[in-house]
Amino acid sequence: MKNAVKYLLFDQKQFFEKAPKGLLIPALITLLYSLISIAFIIPGDVMTAVITVIGGVIGVFLSWAVVAGLFLAGVKLLGYAKCTFKQMLAVTGYASAILAIGALLSGLVGLVGTVDPLVSLAVQGAVLFWSIPVWIFGIASITELPPKKVFTCILIPIILMIAMTVVSYILTASLTESAALYAGSGSGSGSEFRMR
């Protein structure tokens, strides 16, 4: 178990040579990732907390399916590889272990104070690049494609993920700046709405 975790995080080629088949373990890892992500944003109200947990878990699993679908399309169209969606879902699910580490770090930083959008972007970028070898060697293990060919096949979805991360950063940064300006201007205090 200890070696399996070490190989998954730092020697993905070795990990996928002996990785167990099936969806159970990737699904459990993905569930753990979703719960860690949600743990730091659960509101105090019980009903809202339940909705947050259910929505968060569903969102993470949907994202997992979308990523697996995009990678499957890439290897089938560009690599002409024969593999199933279930196989792709299984190997891409192991990247959730790295995503869970990123979510834990972000959450712990958030407990200290407000997370700077640039710090959040750096963590997301590091997690994304750390996940790439998991995807490459995982997909190579279920296809006959060499790792370099796999990387070529999944490059477009990876670029899309990077673009979405950057756009998310820009939106978060601009909203944070707008909120700071709004608060600093005294708007919303009600002072300008006094009756004359």
Side-chain angles (χ1 to χ4, degrees):
M1 178 66 181
K2 184 180 177 182
N3 282 341
V5 172
K6 182 178 77 172
Y7 289 147
L8 174 57
L9 298 178
F10 305 109
D11 189 353
Q12 293 81 16
K13 183 179 180 181
Q14 180 83 6
F15 174 80
F16 282 106
E17 286 176 0
K18 301 175 182 178
K21 307 297 180 187
L23 277 171
L24 180 60
I25 293 175
L28 290 174
I29 294 171
T30 303
L31 178 62
L32 177 65
Y33 158 56
S34 64
L35 294 176
I36 290 172
S37 301
I38 297 161
F40 294 99
I41 58 166
I42 290 180
D45 178 58
V46 176
M47 193 63 187
T48 310
V50 170
I51 293 169
T52 301
V53 170
I54 293 170
V57 170
I58 291 172
V60 166
F61 274 80
L62 281 176
S63 299
W64 175 25
V66 169
V67 169
L70 289 171
F71 287 167
L72 182 67
V75 297
K76 281 188 173 287
L77 295 173
L78 300 177
Y80 309 106
K82 293 180 180 179
C83 59
T84 66
F85 179 69
K86 183 179 177 181
Q87 289 175 311
M88 186 64 72
L89 203 59
V91 296
T92 54
Y94 282 107
S96 294
I98 294 168
L99 299 177
I101 293 171
L104 184 61
L105 290 174
S106 296
L108 291 174
V109 171
L111 290 177
V112 177
T114 305
V115 181
D116 185 277
L118 194 56
V119 172
S120 180
L121 178 67
V123 171
Q124 289 178 43
V127 166
L128 178 62
F129 282 103
W130 193 4
S131 299
I132 291 173
V134 176
W135 295 326
I136 290 173
F137 288 107
I139 294 169
S141 74
I142 59 169
T143 64
E144 296 178 357
L145 301 175
K148 285 184 180 180
K149 180 71 172 178
V150 171
F151 179 68
T152 304
C153 294
I154 66 172
L155 186 58
I156 292 174
I158 288 172
I159 290 170
L160 287 174
M161 285 184 233
I162 293 170
M164 286 172 61
T165 302
V166 172
V167 168
S168 174
Y169 162 71
I170 292 169
L171 289 174
T172 304
S174 62
L175 286 173
T176 304
E177 187 178 343
S178 297
L181 288 172
Y182 183 76
S185 68
S187 298
S189 64
S191 58
E192 63 267 50
F193 298 110
R194 290 195 191 106
M195 291 182 67
R196 296 183 181 182

